[in-house]
Amino acid sequence: MDPLGAPSQFVDIDSLPAWNDYSEANQLDSHKSQVEKPQLDVRSPFPYRKDINAKIILWKGNVALLNCTAIVNTSNESLTDKNAVSESIFMHAGPNLRDELLKLKGTVRRFLEIHGETLEKVVFAVSELEQAIYQKLLPLYFPRSLEEECHSLPCLPADIGNSEGEPVVPERQIRISEKPGAPDDNSDEEGLEADISFIGSHAFARMEGDVDKQRRLILQGQLSEAALQKQHQRNYNRWLCQARAEDLSDVASLKALYQTGVDNCGRTVMVVVGRNIPVTLIDMEKALLYFIHVMDHIAVKEYVIVYFHTLTSDYNHLDSDFLKKLYDIVDIKYKRNLKAVYFVHPTFRSKVSTWFFTTFTISGLKDKIHYVENLQQLFTAIPPEQIDFPPFVLEYDARENGPYYSYPSSPDL
């Protein structure tokens, strides 16, 4: 307690200027040369709000001397951090502080947006060194004008957290069943599909079950075929969600996989250009994700694939492990609705490799492979106007087999 008549060392928050009034004239002058007119076609995720700014105070002083309801100070997990600020807090608060500590989560801005009505003021008590830093950072999250909001937008970090202001770490978002050990029902399946959009590329997120163990359980009657199909569908949904969330523009720019017209039976024609797949230069997991991203809505109906092996080299050949992995991951609709694979301009080596692969690895594809030595053979199944040809395919075919007539080609391929 202060001696009678002596001025109190504690600071009343109502006597401190709000952030709205803090150097307002200076901040307008400092941005005038950089932002002549506010361009608010794209608004900041932290827009200018005078009501929130009125609750914010930047004050250089000892946080322990504030006359307020509660204070928040960073510390370690055991609350034993030793520094000048924490020691001052404990000295003024007394021995019962540890029982009263309340950990405030999330950023101040998001907290005020959601719970602002329950708070009167929030004071950032800083040292002289910290004051300059806060003067630069606060305008990003608490702009004091439309001009300052526009000026601050490019300076915001890419990751601003979730709606509560908390950082989002995908590897830490592990889905835990509400009733561990209980069998999944349809509602759980729907919930899983809705909650797996956060699955990242971390190795832990891609862990899969032991396939040999699953097959052994099937033979022993401990795991039904329906349960295995359900597990496979769940795994495919994870890949599909990741494919929809991932930036795959670098793979798309290769133009190695695209949809064209229809064949004589009205089935969708998908084209794969082997020479446009630089196996040694691209992320093959991204290539797999791009295939799923493109093909998921195509495979719901019958379709055929035209694979141009024309002028490929060793740097363009997909290895059997990758193809086996793709075949194992994709949904059953891919395999059921694929009616034919037209292998255009094959070599002797590619024929031998394909025979071994479809005989010993994926026997279900063997009867769907059709080798096409020249484009004229291809046109018996697919009209020429229904295919966008890469120019080098037309040039090669004309050189090797003689020109027939003008084929349609795509200038972008």
Side-chain angles (χ1 to χ4, degrees):
M1 180 179 295
D2 295 319
L4 185 62
S8 174
Q9 62 177 331
F10 295 99
V11 179
D12 191 350
I13 289 180
D14 292 334
S15 66
L16 302 176
W19 176 244
N20 264 338
D21 307 321
Y22 186 90
S23 303
E24 189 169 12
N26 292 335
Q27 63 93 9
L28 286 176
D29 293 339
S30 65
H31 298 325
K32 183 178 293 185
S33 60
Q34 302 181 38
V35 182
E36 295 296 334
K37 184 179 180 181
Q39 302 293 328
L40 297 178
D41 294 335
V42 179
R43 294 299 300 269
S44 169
F46 304 100
Y48 164 61
R49 283 186 56 178
K50 193 171 184 179
D51 60 324
I52 289 183
N53 291 342
K55 297 177 182 289
I56 296 298
I57 296 173
L58 179 61
W59 174 66
K60 182 177 69 174
N62 186 349
V63 67
L65 300 180
L66 281 175
N67 183 13
C68 59
T69 305
I71 61 175
V72 178
N73 182 53
T74 57
S75 181
N76 55 24
E77 293 182 357
S78 59
L79 305 176
T80 57
D81 186 30
K82 296 294 184 182
N83 56 58
V85 176
S86 62
E87 290 178 358
S88 177
I89 293 174
F90 278 103
M91 181 184 70
H92 290 90
N96 297 326
L97 173 62
R98 294 188 187 279
D99 297 333
E100 303 293 334
L101 287 175
L102 176 66
K103 190 175 181 180
L104 179 65
K105 297 181 178 180
T107 64
V108 175
R109 169 69 191 221
R110 293 304 191 203
F111 189 87
L112 284 175
E113 289 177 347
I114 301 172
H115 309 288
E117 295 181 358
T118 63
L119 297 175
E120 294 182 4
K121 300 286 183 181
V122 175
V123 181
F124 290 94
V126 298
S127 65
E128 185 173 359
L129 178 62
E130 295 169 333
Q131 187 177 24
I133 299 175
Y134 273 75
Q135 288 174 0
K136 293 183 179 180
L137 291 179
L138 280 180
L140 302 183
Y141 305 97
F142 301 95
R144 292 161 288 185
S145 64
L146 294 177
E147 290 85 354
E148 191 168 61
E149 176 190 336
C150 182
H151 172 76
S152 301
L153 181 58
C155 302
L156 283 171
D159 183 7
I160 59 173
N162 58 18
S163 60
E164 298 285 344
E166 298 174 326
V168 178
V169 182
E171 286 77 6
R172 293 183 178 179
Q173 292 182 309
I174 303 175
R175 181 179 181 269
I176 301 176
S177 176
E178 183 178 354
K179 297 179 180 180
D184 293 337
D185 54 18
N186 293 334
S187 61
D188 289 338
E189 181 71 19
E190 294 174 358
L192 174 65
E193 295 176 12
D195 293 338
I196 59 179
S197 59
F198 58 79
I199 295 297
S201 57
H202 191 275
F204 180 80
R206 299 198 308 269
M207 291 177 65
E208 301 175 8
D210 186 339
V211 177
D212 293 331
K213 180 179 179 181
Q214 294 169 2
R215 294 186 182 277
R216 185 168 63 251
L217 291 175
I218 290 176
L219 294 175
Q220 295 173 352
Q222 299 179 20
L223 186 64
S224 67
E225 185 69 27
L228 183 59
Q229 291 177 359
K230 187 175 183 180
Q231 189 176 42
H232 181 270
Q233 182 66 43
R234 184 183 295 114
N235 183 52
Y236 172 75
N237 286 338
R238 290 193 180 99
W239 282 93
L240 179 60
C241 286
Q242 186 177 345
R244 290 171 175 172
E246 193 94 12
D247 179 11
L248 304 173
S249 56
D250 53 340
V251 181
S253 64
L254 298 175
K255 300 186 183 301
L257 173 68
Y258 56 89
Q259 179 181 356
T260 177
V262 296
D263 67 357
N264 291 336
C265 299
R267 300 173 296 201
T268 300
V269 177
M270 297 299 299
V271 172
V272 177
V273 184
R275 202 177 78 161
N276 290 352
I277 307 176
V279 173
T280 59
L281 301 178
I282 64 172
D283 184 342
M284 294 310 297
E285 183 166 308
K286 273 195 169 184
L288 192 154
L289 290 171
Y290 181 70
F291 181 86
I292 292 174
H293 178 75
V294 172
M295 293 297 301
D296 181 70
H297 71 283
I298 298 293
V300 297
K301 300 185 297 183
E302 293 184 351
Y303 68 100
V304 300
I305 292 178
V306 176
Y307 168 63
F308 290 116
H309 191 68
T310 316
L311 298 177
T312 58
S313 66
D314 291 340
Y315 300 103
N316 307 121
H317 295 167
L318 297 172
D319 61 60
S320 58
D321 290 339
F322 172 81
L323 295 174
K324 178 65 165 59
K325 180 179 180 180
L326 186 150
Y327 192 82
D328 288 340
I329 288 175
V330 296
D331 188 69
I332 186 64
K333 63 186 177 184
Y334 287 73
K335 308 161 189 177
R336 181 179 60 244
N337 291 328
L338 174 61
K339 299 304 175 182
V341 176
Y342 296 100
F343 201 121
V344 182
H345 298 146
T347 61
F348 175 77
R349 176 183 174 184
S350 65
K351 287 182 179 180
V352 172
S353 299
T354 303
W355 183 86
F356 274 99
F357 182 71
T358 56
T359 300
F360 300 106
T361 306
I362 303 179
S363 58
L365 276 179
K366 192 168 188 178
D367 294 335
K368 298 181 179 181
I369 301 293
H370 303 276
Y371 295 107
V372 179
E373 302 295 338
N374 56 64
L375 297 183
Q376 192 66 18
Q377 294 179 10
L378 182 64
F379 297 153
T380 61
I382 306 173
E385 64 273 11
Q386 294 294 324
I387 307 179
D388 293 329
F389 292 93
F392 71 87
V393 172
L394 299 177
E395 295 169 1
Y396 174 86
D397 193 77
R399 184 171 63 252
E400 295 295 320
N401 303 305
Y404 298 107
Y405 51 87
S406 299
Y407 308 130
S409 64
S410 174
D412 298 330
L413 301 175

